[in-house]
Amino acid sequence: MNAAVYYGPNDIRLENLDFNEACKNDMNLLRVLSCSVCSYDVRTYRNGNFKVTPPVILGHEICAELVEEYKSSNLYLKPQTRVSIYPVIPCLECWYCHKRKFNLCNNLKEVGSTINGGFAEYIAIPKKVFEIGGIIPVSDNITNEEASLIEPLACCINSVNQVKDMEFESAIIFGDGPIGLMQLMLLKRFLKISVTMIGKIKHRLETAKKLGADLVILSDDDSELSNGLNQIKEINGRFSPNLIFISNNNPGCIKSALKLVNKNGRIILFSGFKNKLYHQKKSSSINIDPNFLHYNQVSISGSFSSNPVNLKEAMDLVDSREIDLHSLISNTYSIDKIKEAFNTSESFIGIKSIINDF
Ligand SMILES: [Zn+2]
Ligand SMILES: [Zn+2]
């Protein structure tokens, strides 16, 4: 099978691998139909990542079809069923797994990091991912490319679900990438509040407007986003952001968020944050005044990955066309052009690059 194998920073090689060897007894073989490029893949390709030990095939935003049937006491899927894949392999033994919070598993393994991912013609998925409901059939209504975006949409749903039942006056999203745009759609749909998007890329902010952003702010100041802050402060009398998503990897935005957030506010850290050395687990630290949090009842929380239930929610929202993923798909490539796809993604050309030809 054709596979793009990651060997380390700036070293990805197109190889022909024997996929039968790669598929063990406790795994099921699927043929990849599309795999979307995540900024995580690009960062890992450029700088390495503490979670990834090469050689490994990257790619965790996957639409695939079953090669053979899957049959167990809980589930039957016939060959050629198209599915979206939950890229978390849980231990099923820890407290978080017992609570079905598999994304927080104490012994977490991940498709496209710990085991081979979707930038290949075939992929072997552990049967336990099937058993926890992590293999979601794709309806005929949804294209292969859209189905590969179900995973990142599920991660966005996981972040928005944290605040879905709370009340906010208005929201800010830092980051105009695919994640920020998906969160924008979810906030408009579920919280029905005013949303300001702060980003660095003009054409993405134009897309944000089309997708319902009430205000977009172009700010190319990477450290403090001072222009954006002033603009927001000027109109602060009109709306007071008390829900803020940080959906880029810039820790400077957390400082900005702390200056902007109103009382009873919530700041959600969606992304992994960059350090001087990207690949390290620790990111740069920020100073927080505990009294500010206390007197204003402000909380800061993280959001990481998703759970199978979020993938199902995502699939239903796309199937019913309540969430439009189609407008985010801008560039498609064959597997031999994977470096080009990564370049496109890191140069912010278009919105989402997808490998859909193997
Ligand atoms: Zn991703
Ligand atoms: Zn676990």
Side-chain angles (χ1 to χ4, degrees):
M1 66 162 176
N2 287 326
V5 185
Y6 167 73
Y7 279 91
N10 297 307
D11 186 2
I12 214 160
R13 304 177 204 167
L14 207 67
E15 296 187 345
N16 204 300
L17 304 179
D18 182 353
F19 61 79
N20 278 325
E21 261 176 38
C23 194
K24 300 180 199 124
N25 263 349
D26 59 346
M27 293 177 141
N28 195 289
L29 191 70
L30 297 102
R31 187 168 81 89
V32 179
L33 299 170
S34 68
C35 185
S36 173
V37 176
C38 180
S39 58
Y40 173 86
D41 303 319
V42 181
R43 287 205 305 270
T44 302
Y45 169 57
R46 289 296 181 209
N47 307 294
N49 189 302
F50 70 95
K51 295 204 280 187
V52 179
T53 311
V56 73
I57 299 165
L58 302 174
H60 58 269
E61 302 180 354
I62 305 164
C63 168
E65 67 177 16
L66 272 77
V67 174
E68 292 165 349
E69 65 173 10
Y70 182 87
K71 204 175 186 177
S72 75
S73 51
N74 299 320
L75 179 67
Y76 177 76
L77 294 169
K78 62 179 187 192
Q80 289 170 356
T81 305
R82 283 192 312 146
V83 295
S84 288
I85 297 172
Y86 180 53
V88 166
I89 303 142
C91 74
L92 303 183
E93 282 165 13
C94 72
W95 185 85
Y96 296 98
C97 283
H98 286 157
K99 297 288 174 193
R100 297 189 68 81
K101 296 181 189 300
F102 303 116
N103 58 330
L104 303 176
C105 170
N106 284 333
N107 308 294
L108 185 82
K109 292 197 167 99
E110 291 169 86
V111 174
S113 287
T114 336
I115 72 162
N116 283 337
F119 294 131
E121 214 174 336
Y122 291 90
I123 187 168
I125 295 293
K127 288 183 178 163
K128 59 182 167 183
V129 178
F130 286 74
E131 290 305 306
I132 60 166
I135 301 296
I136 318 283
V138 178
S139 85
D140 295 343
N141 221 358
I142 299 175
T143 65
N144 295 340
E145 293 75 20
E146 287 170 324
S148 68
L149 299 183
I150 293 295
E151 192 277 334
L153 180 61
C155 296
C156 294
I157 290 174
N158 181 42
S159 68
V160 170
N161 279 358
Q162 290 191 18
V163 294
K164 207 169 147 185
D165 300 323
M166 296 162 73
E167 278 189 307
F168 297 98
E169 194 171 359
S170 73
I172 290 179
I173 299 170
F174 282 94
D176 54 9
I179 292 294
L181 293 168
M182 287 182 194
Q183 285 167 332
L184 164 66
M185 288 190 264
L186 292 167
L187 289 181
K188 291 309 287 184
R189 156 127 198 95
F190 291 112
L191 276 82
K192 299 185 170 64
I193 50 174
S194 161
V195 180
T196 295
M197 175 161 278
I198 304 177
K200 288 163 75 168
I201 312 295
K202 228 177 187 172
H203 73 86
R204 289 185 172 179
L205 291 173
E206 274 157 26
T207 303
K209 263 191 206 158
K210 283 184 204 146
L211 294 175
D214 298 85
L215 180 69
V216 297
I217 294 175
L218 183 72
S219 178
D220 51 12
D221 181 348
D222 219 16
S223 57
E224 286 286 336
L225 296 162
S226 52
N227 294 339
L229 283 185
N230 290 337
Q231 242 179 301
I232 288 179
K233 277 182 178 164
E234 272 167 33
I235 49 171
N236 207 20
R238 189 151 60 77
F239 76 94
S240 317
N242 41 17
L243 174 61
I244 302 183
F245 283 81
I246 315 280
S247 303
N248 60 23
N249 57 17
N250 176 9
C253 294
I254 306 172
K255 291 184 202 164
S256 303
L258 284 163
K259 287 181 194 160
L260 285 166
V261 69
N262 217 320
K263 287 174 190 173
N264 213 30
R266 185 80 178 258
I267 300 171
I268 297 181
L269 313 185
F270 182 90
S271 178
F273 288 89
K274 73 179 169 192
N275 193 353
K276 280 181 195 122
L277 293 168
Y278 246 120
H279 58 281
Q280 288 184 342
K281 191 169 186 176
K282 269 189 164 177
S283 63
S284 49
S285 50
I286 48 160
N287 290 324
I288 295 172
D289 173 6
N291 268 345
F292 174 78
L293 301 186
H294 166 71
Y295 285 111
N296 295 294
Q297 216 167 287
V298 163
S299 50
I300 303 174
S301 64
S303 177
F304 168 68
S305 190
S306 67
N307 278 299
V309 67
N310 304 130
L311 262 85
K312 183 74 180 77
E313 285 173 80
M315 192 67 80
D316 291 344
L317 285 172
V318 177
D319 190 19
S320 61
R321 297 285 146 192
E322 286 168 88
I323 294 290
D324 164 37
L325 294 179
H326 185 73
S327 59
L328 306 184
I329 300 165
S330 53
N331 308 75
T332 55
Y333 296 91
S334 57
I335 186 76
D336 55 317
K337 298 277 188 316
I338 187 159
K339 287 182 192 172
E340 217 173 289
F342 282 14
N343 284 339
T344 305
S345 177
E346 69 187 344
S347 312
F348 311 117
I349 296 166
I351 296 172
K352 197 72 172 165
S353 298
I354 297 179
I355 308 289
N356 65 351
D357 178 9
F358 297 87

